[in-house]
Amino acid sequence: MTKIRAAITGIQGYVPPYILTNQELEKMVDTTDEWILTRTGIRERHILKGEGLGTSDMGAEAVKGLLAKTGTAPEEIGMLICATVTPDMIFPATANIISDKAGIKNAFSFDLNAACSGLLYAIVTASKFVETGSFKKVIVVGGDKMSSITDYTSRDTCVLFGDGAGAILLEPTTEEFGIMDSILMSDGSGMPYLHMKAGGSVKPPSHDTVNAREHYIYQDGQAVFKFAVTRMADVSVEIMEKNNLKSEDISWLVPHQANMRIIDATARRMGVEKDKVMVNIERYGNTTGATIPLCLWEWENRLKKGDNIILAAFGGGFTWGAIWIKWAYDS
Ligand code: UT7
């Protein structure tokens, strides 16, 4: 029987217009452009401003753009997954709200939370529904309004994050293209190092939790850095070795954009030259679920059918993973 694979057949990104620069942050907290740039690689990030706007608004923009550019009618979509840590609300799922805003009426949709690895988890999950023949057109959205959980009085975290969303269309193919292999991992013992202290069932919101500023990202940066730098590189090398891919076989590395030093270390371990690594952290910061689709979107015009692409991520949970893709189309 011919094997069906899931192939990416379209990609679209969205970032809100407001740009928060390092210079502006210098006026808000005790930091410098030089510190932020050398320690993280970030110069600016986009922030979603406006009352009543959330992750679904950015996700819906990306999805509407994706449908238009691929000539897909909303009714054709069978499933939509949204990878996010900043849902519009605890329930219903942001994926449902995105589907509604984008006119998608024939799909089942749900959210998936794997923090910065969410997009990888969502692609792998979605690909199984395509490979089994359940659906012909599936959309994966990675989107986060990180500004909604960022404490702009804390220099440790407020310089790191930005807002944005990306949408990916997956369709079946019988050719040797698409999602070829993946390795996904998680380790819940990493929870103390990166989490939000209140707002969930363990510590529901109260005046005390608000006063203690517990509804923001908490990160032990150094501890997370140590895990991220080894796990992201290890898993990227592992997927290469598992599939007999040599450094020279890799057309592009698409790393999660959390810190330029983590990206460089991963590329070095893989033996991939800098000009084959997609990096836009300078302009967007860490947009969590959106970093990888925003890269693919910006580089789409340079991708060629048959390119070997490695997606790699590490994030809260801890979660981490890598996907090997054979790109399915010339732009
Ligand atoms: O995407 C999810 C996964 N997350 C990650 O992968 C993030 C991993 N961690 C990191 O990227 C880095 O740890 C950070 C960028 C968060 C921090 O960089 P670092 O080189 O690990 O700095 P540090 O936390 O060790 O802090 C070094 C110094 C400290 O001062 P002292 O104690 O040496 O006097 C901090 O207080 O830098 C200070 N510092 C700052 N200074 C100016 C921390 N944040 C700032 C800041 N501006 N924004």
Side-chain angles (χ1 to χ4, degrees):
M1 219 173 86
T2 320
K3 183 171 170 50
I4 300 174
R5 291 186 191 281
I8 294 177
T9 53
I11 176 104
Q12 180 70 21
Y14 174 82
V15 286
Y18 185 82
I19 295 173
L20 175 62
T21 62
N22 288 355
Q23 285 71 23
E24 201 175 337
L25 283 164
E26 282 177 347
K27 295 179 198 143
M28 295 160 63
V29 289
D30 180 15
T31 191
T32 61
D33 174 48
E34 201 257 331
W35 190 97
I36 303 171
L37 203 53
T38 51
R39 298 288 180 126
T40 70
I42 304 167
R43 275 184 205 280
E44 57 190 37
R45 61 294 284 141
H46 290 245
I47 302 293
L48 181 64
K49 298 263 191 190
E51 202 64 30
L53 296 178
T55 298
S56 73
D57 296 287
M58 297 186 292
E61 283 304 314
V63 169
K64 284 190 270 184
L66 177 71
L67 294 173
K69 82 192 271 192
T70 56
T72 308
E75 305 77 49
E76 293 179 74
I77 304 301
M79 177 186 183
L80 185 145
I81 306 177
C82 177
T84 187
V85 293
T86 50
D88 282 15
M89 44 195 79
I90 286 187
F91 70 90
T94 299
N96 301 165
I97 303 169
I98 292 174
S99 289
D100 185 49
K101 287 180 175 166
I104 293 171
K105 303 274 184 221
N106 295 329
F108 92 100
S109 48
F110 62 93
D111 289 356
L112 188 155
N113 179 341
C116 297
S117 311
L119 200 275
L120 302 192
Y121 276 50
I123 288 180
V124 172
T125 304
S127 71
K128 303 302 169 196
F129 286 86
V130 175
E131 288 164 9
T132 52
S134 302
F135 297 109
K136 295 253 183 295
K137 289 182 195 282
V138 169
I139 290 179
V140 168
V141 176
D144 274 295
K145 183 184 171 185
M146 294 306 288
S147 62
S148 66
I149 56 167
T150 298
D151 183 352
Y152 287 98
T153 67
S154 164
R155 69 175 186 177
D156 295 343
T157 47
C158 76
V159 302
L160 304 173
F161 297 98
D163 302 339
I168 291 174
L169 183 62
L170 288 168
E171 295 183 79
T173 177
T174 50
E175 293 186 301
E176 277 288 294
F177 297 106
I179 316 303
M180 306 300 286
D181 196 15
S182 62
I183 303 172
L184 298 179
M185 300 297 297
S186 58
D187 177 358
S189 69
M191 182 275 283
Y193 308 106
L194 182 49
H195 61 275
M196 192 196 291
K197 294 195 182 299
S201 58
V202 168
K203 217 184 213 194
S206 67
H207 290 290
D208 289 344
T209 62
V210 171
N211 291 339
R213 308 187 78 77
E214 290 181 337
H215 294 274
Y216 297 118
I217 304 153
Y218 167 80
Q219 175 170 251
D220 176 344
Q222 275 192 15
V224 176
F225 187 94
K226 280 180 201 149
F227 278 101
V229 83
T230 48
R231 298 288 194 283
M232 209 164 105
D234 285 350
V235 77
S236 305
V237 170
E238 190 184 338
I239 201 159
M240 286 171 69
E241 289 175 352
K242 191 174 160 212
N243 293 287
N244 295 316
L245 291 166
K246 307 272 171 277
S247 306
E248 56 272 23
D249 299 326
I250 306 300
S251 314
W252 295 102
L253 166 64
V254 193
H256 170 54
Q257 314 276 308
N259 188 312
M260 198 56 226
R261 291 179 285 149
I262 299 173
I263 295 172
D264 284 342
T266 303
R268 257 197 316 277
R269 279 277 308 281
M270 294 168 73
V272 172
E273 298 295 330
K274 276 194 166 160
D275 61 353
K276 292 182 172 177
V277 185
M278 295 188 196
V279 178
N280 59 14
I281 189 172
E282 197 174 306
R283 285 173 294 119
Y284 300 133
N286 183 350
T287 54
T288 302
T291 59
I292 288 175
L294 286 178
C295 280
L296 288 170
W297 171 53
E298 291 202 324
W299 266 260
E300 187 190 22
N301 287 341
R302 294 162 67 182
L303 302 180
K304 294 188 200 70
K305 192 168 182 178
D307 276 356
N308 286 309
I309 301 178
I310 304 289
L311 314 183
F314 181 90
F318 292 138
T319 57
W320 66 99
I323 299 179
W324 168 35
I325 291 172
K326 246 186 195 307
W327 197 250
Y329 62 99
D330 290 314
S331 294

